[in-house]
Structures are given as C-alpha cells and as structure tokens.
Amino acid sequence: MLMWSATSGGNESTSLLKSKSQTYKNRKGILLLDENHPQYNILASLRLGIKNVIESSHLHAEKSLLPENYNAIMDLELTTEKGQTYQFISYANAVFIKMREAIGVSEEIYLQSLCTLGLPYWEFISNTKSGQEFYISNDRCFFIKSDTRYYVQAFLSFLGDYIDHMIKYPHNLLTKILGLYSVIIPGQKQMYFIVMQNICFPDSEIDERFDLKGCSAASLPHLAPPMCMS
C-alpha cells in the first residue's frame, strides 16, 4: 500500500504551506487562484462541497462495495459565504473512499489538501487539446481537472473495472482518480470536476519527465452512460 507521510505534504502546517507557496508561484505556467480569478467562485463552491461530503459522519470506507455504490449520488444544497445557494453533487462516494484507502490517502489528508481555508488552489496553464482546465491543490498533492458530461459518463461506465484494478494493483501506472463531483450554480452551466493524485509530487524526487501522447484514431469507444448521472 502507498502511504503518505507528513513530509509528503499531508500534515504540514498552514504556515509552512504558505511559505512554500511563495516559492511555487514563481514557476512558469502556474497562477495563484485568488478572488480576482474568473473561476474563483466555482472552485470555492467545489471546495465547500468536498468539505461537506468528507465531514459527513455517516460516510466511511465499506468493507466490500455493493453494486448500488457505483451508481450512487450525494446531492447537497449548500450556501456560499456570500449567501448564494447552489447544488453540489458527489458521485459514487463509497467507491472513491475505497479508492483513496487503497492507495494510502487518508480522509484527513484529502480534506486538508483540498479544503483548508486560506490556501487557494493554483491554476496550471495547459496546452491540452481538450480545452479543459487544470488546477492544483495548494500543497500540490492533487490535481483538479474540469471535464465534460460525456467523458464523466464514459468514466463512470467502467468505474467498477477501474476500481477493481486499482485495489488489486495499487502501484500501477494509471492515473489515480480519487473523487468525482459537479457544481450547479443558478444561471451557470453545470461544471464537472475530477480530483486526481499528482504523480509529480514531490517534484524534488523526479529526475526526468516525459509527456506521452496517444493516437486519436478510433480511440473513443461508444460507452453507454451510467444511471447515476445528474
């Protein structure tokens, strides 16, 4: 099992993380996501939603997953600090709790990395052809990627096989997807977000990096959407 220690960023103090942020923000292609950022409100809503889901006392890692866990949604109505009401949806909660448990990411680490107030996310400027947006938790442990309904449906359609593989082979080289959410703010388009483990953390231990691109020809099978989408 992969275990995250305090030196991996999970239990660092807020003051230490703020200090590290001063160095990180000078990197090319990285922007601190402050209140002036156009996506600040939607990501603040995401942060609050994840916090509410993780802190829900009835959520825990199931000993064994049931078929209904893969189609389950948790639909919350929340209010921002500015008094705006919005809808937050968390997909397959029990499944992703099991996923985080399988690779050694505790709920405490997940909560601290993604939901600590005063530690804003970073925007990662990407030239990806998909046009989706990438953000990084302040301690750089997790990536947050916006996505489309189509690709979220596709992923959920094979979620069972994905989780089974991850639990059986936790050290595999596939992307570790640890949460799937959507935010609906009145008058705005529904936004979908995927939380992933940052494979480049800690970057001090990386000697070389490679950006591998696949072929787009016939690479997208037509997958039936799952029942749980909202």
Side-chain angles (χ1 to χ4, degrees), residues 92-221:
N93 270 310
V95 178
F96 287 111
I97 290 175
K98 196 70 174 178
M99 173 65 184
R100 296 193 288 268
E101 180 187 63
I103 67 169
V105 176
S106 70
E107 298 303 278
E108 291 75 19
I109 287 174
Y110 194 69
L111 180 65
Q112 177 176 306
S113 293
L114 294 170
C115 303
T116 300
L117 295 177
L119 294 178
Y121 297 151
W122 302 96
E123 181 180 14
F124 176 71
I125 308 301
S126 170
N127 63 351
T128 173
K129 190 175 181 180
S130 70
Q132 300 306 316
E133 298 171 340
F134 290 82
Y135 305 96
I136 311 172
S137 62
N138 193 274
D139 60 4
R140 309 188 303 285
C141 289
F142 304 105
F143 263 94
I144 303 165
K145 177 180 179 288
S146 68
D147 221 321
T148 65
R149 179 183 177 90
Y150 175 82
Y151 285 106
V152 168
Q153 286 179 327
F155 175 66
L156 287 172
S157 71
F158 59 80
L159 178 60
D161 291 334
Y162 174 83
I163 294 297
D164 289 345
H165 183 80
M166 288 296 182
I167 293 174
K168 189 175 182 180
Y169 306 105
H171 296 278
N172 71 77
L173 300 180
L174 295 176
T175 299
K176 309 301 190 296
I177 296 177
L178 305 178
L180 180 56
Y181 312 99
S182 69
V183 176
I184 307 173
I185 295 178
Q188 298 184 27
K189 180 182 177 181
Q190 182 173 2
M191 294 287 293
Y192 296 90
F193 296 97
I194 294 174
V195 177
M196 305 174 288
Q197 188 180 47
N198 182 4
I199 62 172
C200 295
F201 180 85
D203 53 12
S204 60
E205 299 179 4
I206 297 175
D207 296 319
E208 294 182 276
R209 305 186 192 201
F210 300 89
D211 185 7
L212 303 180
K213 299 294 184 182
C215 176
S216 61
S219 64
L220 298 175

Side-chain angles (χ1 to χ4, degrees), residues 9-64:
N11 297 313
E12 292 182 290
S13 67
T14 300
S15 59
L16 178 58
L17 289 173
K18 285 183 177 179
S19 176
K20 289 186 175 182
S21 293
Q22 296 302 313
T23 301
Y24 191 63
K25 74 178 182 180
N26 295 323
R27 295 194 175 188
K28 184 180 295 186
I30 300 293
L31 295 176
L32 188 64
L33 204 150
D34 59 18
E35 294 185 5
N36 297 317
H37 192 282
Q39 295 295 346
Y40 177 83
N41 288 335
I42 193 79
L43 290 167
S45 300
L46 174 69
R47 181 200 300 267
L48 179 61
I50 294 175
K51 184 175 185 292
N52 274 266
V53 168
I54 298 300
E55 291 182 342
S56 296
S57 59
H58 66 280
L59 285 178
H60 59 280
E62 302 285 349
K63 291 183 179 180
S64 59

